[in-house]
Amino acid sequence: MNAKEAVDLLMDYDRKKDILIVSLKGELDHHHAAEIREFLDEKLKDPSIRHLILDLQSLHFMDSSGIGVFIGRYKTISKRGGQVCITNISPHLDRMLELSGLYRILKVFDTVKHAVDWIRGESA
Amino acid sequence: MNAKEAVDLLMDYDRKKDILIVSLKGELDHHHAAEIREFLDEKLKDPSIRHLILDLQSLHFMDSSGIGVFIGRYKTISKRGGQVCITNISPHLDRMLELSGLYRILKVFDTVKHAVDWIRGESA
Amino acid sequence: MSIKNEMKLEFLSRSQNEAFARVAVAAFAAQLDPTLEEIADIKTAVSEAVTNAIIHGYDNPNEIVQIITRISDNSVMIEVIDRGKGIEDIELARQPLYTSKPELERSGMGFTVMETFMDEVEVISAPGQGTKVRMVKHINHDVQETERD
Amino acid sequence: MSIKNEMKLEFLSRSQNEAFARVAVAAFAAQLDPTLEEIADIKTAVSEAVTNAIIHGYDNPNEIVQIITRISDNSVMIEVIDRGKGIEDIELARQPLYTSKPELERSGMGFTVMETFMDEVEVISAPGQGTKVRMVKHINHDVQETERD
Ligand SMILES: Nc1ncnc2c1ncn2[C@@H]1O[C@H](COP(=O)(O)OP(=O)(O)O)[C@@H](O)[C@H]1O
Ligand SMILES: Nc1ncnc2c1ncn2[C@@H]1O[C@H](COP(=O)(O)OP(=O)(O)O)[C@@H](O)[C@H]1O
């Protein structure tokens, strides 16, 4: 890792049938919000994606810009009747998400696997 | 580790007969030079210490203030007919030490053990 | 508050400076020996205030954002200042979920985050003159000693 | 040099600010995506110049040290400025091993370190007026790509 990567945002994704799993690494602030928004919206153009899991295990920093990004994607997904889950939340992020009322619309799980299992159960 | 420790200087020491082994952790700049100087000079008051090994494995930063500290302690030790060795040097530190001409007076070893063995050999 | 140390920072109103600003303030506040949690709180609050100066205060990336940081024995005071648009109705602006830029997907939670993560938040602003957000965080050394490993 | 970004930093002439200064400049220069080695070079040079301002430029801890940093496409320019004593004989001061403060165990290697770790070092100083050290480091992105893992 070099010095810039420490404050950059990196995105990784995986696909499990109709679930898109995106893991965010690094720092999510206003500067990086546009990047992640474009990345997610590009992927979500594919109408066969119904659910979104955001894995935040390696997200070391997030400010309220992240909340805006999550709410925006929630709107897209909920129009398709899908679910948005977030996983692996640090205590600091937990306070931020609690504060924002996001827990009323997003589902939270310890691990990506738990989130996948829950979505499967719901849509079964 | 908290945020301050990352830029602090921590000292650890060990004694093997007439050899004092001091390992430096953190950052050695002008701000910390006084601290390490006092620490070493306090220990070197004990006249039964003849040799000094400075282990720099966990020294993440050093500027030319460190050179002054090393030269000062070299003067004390060489008056006693002892040796000053430094061990576990990073490439960045190596350039700094090379530059300063310190390699003409200090002995350099990969590990503390090699330094101890060499001192034993010399004084045998 | 007897001041122990002080710094002033000025940088251009560009989003890539948000990370720089929070790292710089955190590095300065580190002198108070805060916990990692306290550092995260400070970084987040600074990020909110600096972002606001850049996107709400100014409309171009060539203006100056200023940060003043003062350290006393057990607290850090941070001022984030812009000479931009200013805020018409400060009370409204501080309401949770209020944002004047929903089109940018702003959540309107910036001031709420600052208020939650810092001990004091004061907003001084006038339309056409700019905005100063003054925040204070107490660093509680007693609690720290036991909490830290 | 077309400037891409710029910041200005001011802090009190106290030794505990040496670490803050180098971390802040490194965080700003990080926008150029330097290697860890390049970041270490910059931190070391900044540490030397800031230490000099604090111990040689001033004789008390309540004066102001200023740092200006400018980034262009592939280089960073750093100025470390004090309004202190100034340097009588700049050529002598820059000689390796020359120090006016041997009693503080200074090694006289500060300027030599700056010259070795940076690509350009310019010293502007006048007795009674203060000192400005301007340093430039080129960040070579071509070399980096292959060196980095
Ligand atoms: N520095 C500023 N200059 C001008 N207006 C501001 C500034 N900071 C905040 N505001 C106003 O206050 C509102 C609420 O701010 P905030 O709670 O941070 O939410 P958000 O940034 O998500 O809009 C902003 O939408 C803006 O109208
Ligand atoms: N900012 C400054 N103000 C006044 N004098 C300075 C300044 N920087 C350097 N000098 C002079 O130049 C000399 C050499 O500096 P340097 O090479 O950094 O070595 P050192 O700091 O170890 O003395 C110093 O001893 C001092 O006399």
Side-chain angles (χ1 to χ4, degrees):
Chain A
M1 191 175 73
N2 59 50
K4 185 154 171 282
E5 279 165 20
V7 294
D8 261 0
L9 181 71
L10 301 172
M11 292 155 278
D12 233 341
Y13 73 99
D14 192 9
R15 178 80 188 263
K16 282 204 194 325
K17 292 197 185 139
D18 59 351
I19 307 176
L20 177 70
I21 303 167
V22 175
S23 65
L24 302 181
K25 284 194 190 31
E27 311 212 326
L28 171 44
D29 60 7
H30 159 248
H31 181 64
H32 294 112
E35 222 172 298
I36 165 80
R37 193 179 298 135
E38 277 161 35
F39 175 86
L40 289 172
D41 288 353
E42 184 59 39
K43 295 270 165 256
L44 293 177
K45 275 186 188 158
D46 176 349
S48 70
I49 294 177
R50 244 189 99 208
H51 307 285
L52 174 65
I53 298 176
L54 292 164
D55 183 39
L56 308 184
Q57 173 147 46
S58 304
L59 193 66
H60 304 303
F61 176 85
M62 186 183 108
D63 66 17
S64 74
S65 310
I67 298 173
V69 172
F70 294 172
I71 294 180
R73 271 12 80 194
Y74 169 77
K75 286 179 185 161
T76 310
I77 290 286
S78 64
K79 273 184 210 138
R80 299 180 189 177
Q83 297 284 355
V84 179
C85 302
I86 47 181
T87 56
N88 283 303
I89 300 170
S90 70
H92 195 262
L93 217 60
D94 179 63
R95 282 171 70 201
M96 170 89 73
L97 295 171
E98 175 72 52
L99 197 70
S100 66
L102 264 190
Y103 286 157
R104 286 195 294 269
I105 56 174
L106 306 184
K107 303 286 179 287
V108 181
F109 296 92
D110 283 357
T111 63
V112 172
K113 187 178 177 309
H114 285 148
V116 171
D117 290 348
W118 179 79
I119 291 171
R120 291 275 169 265
E122 280 288 292
S123 36
Chain B
M1 192 175 72
N2 58 51
K4 185 157 171 285
E5 278 164 21
V7 294
D8 260 2
L9 181 71
L10 300 172
M11 292 156 277
D12 233 342
Y13 73 98
D14 192 9
R15 177 79 189 264
K16 283 204 195 320
K17 292 198 186 137
D18 59 350
I19 307 176
L20 177 69
I21 304 166
V22 175
S23 66
L24 302 181
K25 284 195 189 38
E27 312 213 326
L28 172 44
D29 60 6
H30 159 249
H31 182 63
H32 294 112
E35 223 171 296
I36 166 79
R37 192 179 299 134
E38 277 162 35
F39 175 87
L40 289 172
D41 287 353
E42 184 59 38
K43 296 271 166 254
L44 293 178
K45 277 186 187 157
D46 176 349
S48 69
I49 295 176
R50 244 189 99 207
H51 307 285
L52 175 64
I53 299 175
L54 292 164
D55 183 41
L56 309 184
Q57 172 148 46
S58 304
L59 193 66
H60 304 303
F61 177 85
M62 186 181 108
D63 66 18
S64 75
S65 310
I67 297 173
V69 172
F70 294 172
I71 294 179
R73 273 10 81 196
Y74 169 77
K75 286 179 184 161
T76 310
I77 290 286
S78 65
K79 273 185 210 140
R80 297 180 190 176
Q83 298 284 354
V84 178
C85 302
I86 47 181
T87 56
N88 283 304
I89 300 169
S90 70
H92 195 262
L93 218 58
D94 179 63
R95 282 172 70 200
M96 170 89 73
L97 296 171
E98 175 72 52
L99 196 70
S100 68
L102 265 190
Y103 286 157
R104 287 195 294 269
I105 57 175
L106 306 184
K107 304 284 178 288
V108 181
F109 296 92
D110 283 357
T111 64
V112 172
K113 189 179 176 312
H114 285 149
V116 171
D117 290 348
W118 179 81
I119 291 172
R120 291 275 170 266
E122 280 288 293
S123 36
Chain C
M1 170 164 146
S2 82
I3 296 163
K4 276 177 59 186
N5 205 350
E6 184 169 351
M7 68 96 162
K8 194 169 93 186
L9 191 59
E10 288 179 3
F11 50 88
L12 295 175
S13 50
R14 310 180 172 191
S15 63
Q16 65 262 45
N17 290 333
E18 292 158 6
F20 160 64
R22 59 183 183 260
V23 170
V25 173
F28 192 73
Q31 295 176 7
L32 272 177
D33 205 8
T35 60
L36 285 181
E37 184 64 25
E38 287 163 339
I39 282 284
D41 291 352
I42 291 169
K43 276 186 162 180
T44 311
V46 168
S47 199
E48 299 293 350
V50 168
T51 300
N52 280 352
I54 291 172
I55 61 179
H56 300 303
Y58 295 123
D59 53 15
N60 79 77
N62 298 313
E63 307 287 342
I64 303 287
V65 180
Q66 201 181 60
I67 299 184
I68 294 173
T69 309
R70 292 200 186 95
I71 279 174
S72 72
D73 278 333
N74 52 9
S75 72
V76 52
M77 192 283 304
I78 301 161
E79 287 179 347
V80 178
I81 301 157
D82 68 67
R83 306 251 162 259
K85 266 206 285 293
I87 302 175
E88 194 101 21
D89 184 340
I90 298 178
E91 210 187 316
L92 175 68
R94 294 181 72 150
Q95 305 258 309
L97 303 176
Y98 171 79
T99 179
S100 56
K101 301 231 164 156
E103 74 281 9
L104 293 184
E105 290 199 340
R106 300 303 299 167
S107 62
M109 292 302 292
F111 280 126
T112 308
V113 167
M114 293 180 238
E115 286 161 9
T116 307
F117 290 168
M118 302 293 276
D119 293 303
E120 297 169 30
V121 177
E122 193 184 345
V123 182
I124 301 127
S125 187
Q129 306 225 280
T131 300
K132 179 194 286 194
V133 177
R134 179 185 291 137
M135 305 183 277
V136 176
K137 176 104 180 158
H138 303 298
I139 307 294
N140 189 332
H141 289 285
D142 295 343
V143 175
Q144 261 173 254
E145 292 310 313
T146 47
E147 269 182 359
R148 188 176 301 155
D149 54 354
Chain D
M1 169 164 147
S2 83
I3 295 164
K4 274 178 60 185
N5 204 350
E6 184 169 351
M7 70 95 162
K8 194 169 92 184
L9 191 57
E10 286 178 4
F11 51 88
L12 294 175
S13 51
R14 311 183 171 188
S15 64
Q16 65 262 43
N17 290 333
E18 292 158 6
F20 159 65
R22 58 183 184 259
V23 170
V25 173
F28 192 73
Q31 296 176 7
L32 272 176
D33 205 7
T35 59
L36 285 180
E37 184 63 25
E38 287 164 339
I39 280 286
D41 291 352
I42 291 169
K43 275 186 161 180
T44 310
V46 168
S47 199
E48 298 294 349
V50 168
T51 300
N52 281 352
I54 291 173
I55 63 179
H56 300 303
Y58 296 123
D59 53 14
N60 79 78
N62 298 313
E63 306 287 343
I64 304 287
V65 181
Q66 202 181 59
I67 299 184
I68 295 173
T69 308
R70 292 199 187 96
I71 280 174
S72 72
D73 279 334
N74 52 8
S75 72
V76 52
M77 192 284 303
I78 301 161
E79 288 178 347
V80 178
I81 301 157
D82 68 66
R83 306 252 161 260
K85 265 206 284 294
I87 302 175
E88 195 100 23
D89 183 340
I90 297 178
E91 210 188 316
L92 176 66
R94 294 180 73 150
Q95 305 259 308
L97 302 175
Y98 171 79
T99 179
S100 57
K101 302 231 163 157
E103 73 280 10
L104 293 184
E105 291 198 341
R106 300 304 299 167
S107 63
M109 292 303 291
F111 280 125
T112 309
V113 166
M114 293 180 239
E115 286 161 7
T116 307
F117 290 170
M118 301 293 277
D119 294 303
E120 297 168 31
V121 178
E122 192 184 346
V123 182
I124 301 127
S125 186
Q129 306 224 279
T131 300
K132 180 194 286 194
V133 177
R134 179 184 291 138
M135 306 182 276
V136 176
K137 176 105 181 155
H138 303 298
I139 306 295
N140 190 332
H141 290 286
D142 295 345
V143 175
Q144 259 173 257
E145 292 310 313
T146 46
E147 270 184 359
R148 189 175 300 154
D149 53 355

